[in-house]
Amino acid sequence: MGKRLTIKSLPVQALPKYLLPILHKLGPVFLLALLPGCVSEPADTAAKAPPSANVGKLQAWTDAEMLAHRAEGRTAAAGAGSSMLPIYGDNTMLVINAVPYGTLRPGMTVAYVNSRGVEVVHKLIGKEAHGWRVAGLNNEEADAELVTPFNLIGVVYATLSYDADEDDDSPPSK
């Protein structure tokens, strides 16, 4: 039997019932192609543990790269740290989609480069005169820096979690 990858942020119960048998046969890649950009937030993030799948790190990275290459302006990234737990963590691969700065809205999860050159993925919490205030879900305070048109990388398009216990080679650091 093939490996199965869990895709977070897509409520299967929201899909029409006639699609479920088709999607079970064709798998998550077809699902993402069918419903690009579909995102929802869990009702209570504190009560949810991060999902994982019985695939290794290399398979999750390969799948993230494949999704990123399906459209211009997308890039794959490896999750790290605890600031976005329980949604994203060390066992998460992300696909980031470049978007115009003017399309940002509160609640979106964005990737940006901070002043130290570190790529950060946090949630937009409010628009200010000179940029967007962001914070990690697991942080007590907002980030000191604002997201601006100059440091925005894009928004999270897809997340792929993997089983950290699977024996697999590590993906390249990005």
Side-chain angles (χ1 to χ4, degrees):
M1 179 153 61
K3 293 183 176 184
R4 185 172 176 169
L5 189 64
T6 300
I7 301 174
K8 296 185 291 187
S9 301
L10 187 61
V12 175
Q13 65 272 21
L15 296 172
K17 288 183 181 183
Y18 68 87
L19 281 179
L20 292 177
I22 296 168
L23 296 176
H24 284 288
K25 287 182 182 176
L26 296 176
V29 173
F30 178 78
L31 179 61
L32 282 175
L34 182 65
L35 302 169
C38 188
V39 176
S40 73
E41 292 295 324
D44 181 9
T45 58
K48 291 195 112 180
S52 64
N54 63 345
V55 298
K57 195 177 212 180
L58 185 59
Q59 182 62 50
W61 178 255
T62 301
D63 292 346
E65 283 278 293
M66 183 271 309
L67 287 172
H69 285 71
R70 296 189 112 204
E72 196 169 321
R74 289 189 195 151
T75 185
S82 60
S83 66
M84 289 297 285
L85 287 175
I87 306 300
Y88 314 131
D90 291 335
N91 72 329
T92 306
M93 298 300 172
L94 304 157
V95 179
I96 309 298
N97 191 44
V99 296
Y101 181 79
T103 64
L104 297 180
R105 299 290 177 262
M108 289 178 151
T109 303
V110 298
Y112 74 99
V113 179
N114 70 17
S115 61
R116 296 179 317 221
V118 176
E119 295 178 2
V120 179
V121 175
H122 281 168
K123 190 172 186 173
L124 295 174
I125 58 173
K127 180 85 165 93
E128 297 185 4
H130 299 290
W132 282 91
R133 182 69 53 203
V134 291
L137 297 176
N138 210 23
N139 293 350
E140 291 184 19
E141 296 181 15
D143 296 6
E145 299 177 45
L146 298 175
V147 174
T148 69
F150 307 106
N151 67 359
L152 175 67
I153 299 170
V155 298
V156 173
Y157 171 77
T159 63
L160 301 103
S161 296
Y162 58 90
D163 184 350
D165 295 330
E166 281 283 318
D167 289 332
D168 219 342
D169 293 330
S170 295
S173 297
K174 276 206 166 188

